[in-house]
Amino acid sequence: MTLAELLVRLGGFGLDLTRRVEFDEIVDPRCVEMERRSADAGMDTLTLLSLTTPFLQLIDVEARGFAEDKPVLVLTEFDSSLWDVRAVDERVLSELRHHYPGAKDL
């Protein structure tokens, strides 16, 4: 699953968040642009979504979502194949569990 797919699956919950993205490994020029836009105030979700595209595979990335400067959603991808999702709203996790029955609580 790509970051784009996960953002789309989150739907309305993450739409109004401010996003900041950090990479351990730059695998595409769009990663540089995402980091640039993440600096300072961050970017909106639609901007992040436009930069990720469905086919962009990322390696070791953390995408944080902020509401009023408080982190409310953290998406961490490891090795381009495993996601760790942390959210302050349990409904987000429930929605993901519903759509991805193989998801595990850690």
Side-chain angles (χ1 to χ4, degrees), residues 79-93:
D79 234 6
S80 76
S81 60
L82 178 66
W83 283 97
D84 175 54
V85 178
R86 290 173 275 149
V88 296
D89 189 337
E90 178 61 34
R91 294 174 297 174
V92 172
L93 301 175

Side-chain angles (χ1 to χ4, degrees), residues 55-92:
F55 303 107
L56 176 62
Q57 284 295 127
L58 303 171
I59 299 172
D60 299 336
V61 61
E62 183 173 272
R64 295 179 314 266
F66 293 84
E68 299 177 12
D69 294 326
K70 295 178 184 163
V72 296
L73 179 66
V74 179
L75 310 172
T76 306
E77 183 178 28
F78 304 97
D79 234 6
S80 76
S81 60
L82 178 66
W83 283 97
D84 175 54
V85 178
R86 290 173 275 149
V88 296
D89 189 337
E90 178 61 34
R91 294 174 297 174
V92 172

Side-chain angles (χ1 to χ4, degrees), residues 2-55:
T2 65
L3 179 58
E5 290 172 280
L6 194 51
L7 290 171
V8 168
R9 179 58 59 202
L10 291 172
F13 172 77
L15 196 56
D16 61 344
L17 299 178
T18 300
R19 304 293 182 152
R20 293 187 183 101
V21 183
E22 294 178 4
F23 299 88
D24 284 342
E25 187 173 333
I26 302 293
V27 295
D28 186 280
R30 289 172 286 183
C31 297
V32 174
E33 180 65 11
M34 281 185 255
E35 280 194 330
R36 185 188 71 75
R37 289 181 181 236
S38 291
D40 301 321
M43 69 184 115
D44 61 68
T45 300
L46 293 178
T47 299
L48 177 57
L49 191 55
S50 73
L51 291 168
T52 59
T53 70
F55 303 107

